[in-house]
Structure formats: C-alpha cells, structure tokens
Amino acid sequence: MTAMTAEERQREIVRVARRTGSVDVTELAGTLGVAKETVRRDLRTLEDHGLV
C-alpha cells in the first residue's frame, strides 16, 4: 500500500471523527500507518480550519 497524502489522511480523520464523535490518536496512527505526532499535527491543521 502506498502512503496516504496529508489530504487523504485528514479526510479520513474527519470521516472517523464525524462518524464516532471522537478520535483516538493511537488507533488512528495504527490505522493510517503513521506516527502519533503526524495524527496530532493533522488534527491541529483540521482544527485550525474548523473541520474538527
């Protein structure tokens, strides 16, 4: 599997957040195949844009 782009990761994070009402950084990191810090950075970006 090829690595997801930041946009693809962020889209998936928003999808999970909207479906479940919350996200688990450790779980997302494992699912997306990235470091927890990458998920945190994506969450900050999404928050800055009002998406989560």
Side-chain angles (χ1 to χ4, degrees), residues 7-29:
E7 184 179 329
E8 289 169 330
R9 276 196 322 271
Q10 292 169 9
R11 197 176 305 123
E12 179 64 11
I13 291 168
V14 169
R15 189 185 68 75
V16 170
R18 288 182 178 163
R19 187 183 75 230
T20 64
S22 65
V23 295
D24 180 292
V25 171
T26 303
E27 187 177 311
L28 273 173

Side-chain angles (χ1 to χ4, degrees), residues 1-2 4 7 9-10 13 18-19 21 23-24 30 34 40-41 43-45 48:
M1 180 175 125
T2 59
M4 297 176 107
E7 184 179 329
R9 276 196 322 271
Q10 292 169 9
I13 291 168
R18 288 182 178 163
R19 187 183 75 230
V23 295
D24 180 292
V34 296
R40 289 188 192 101
R41 190 170 37 249
L43 284 167
R44 281 192 295 274
T45 299
D48 289 347

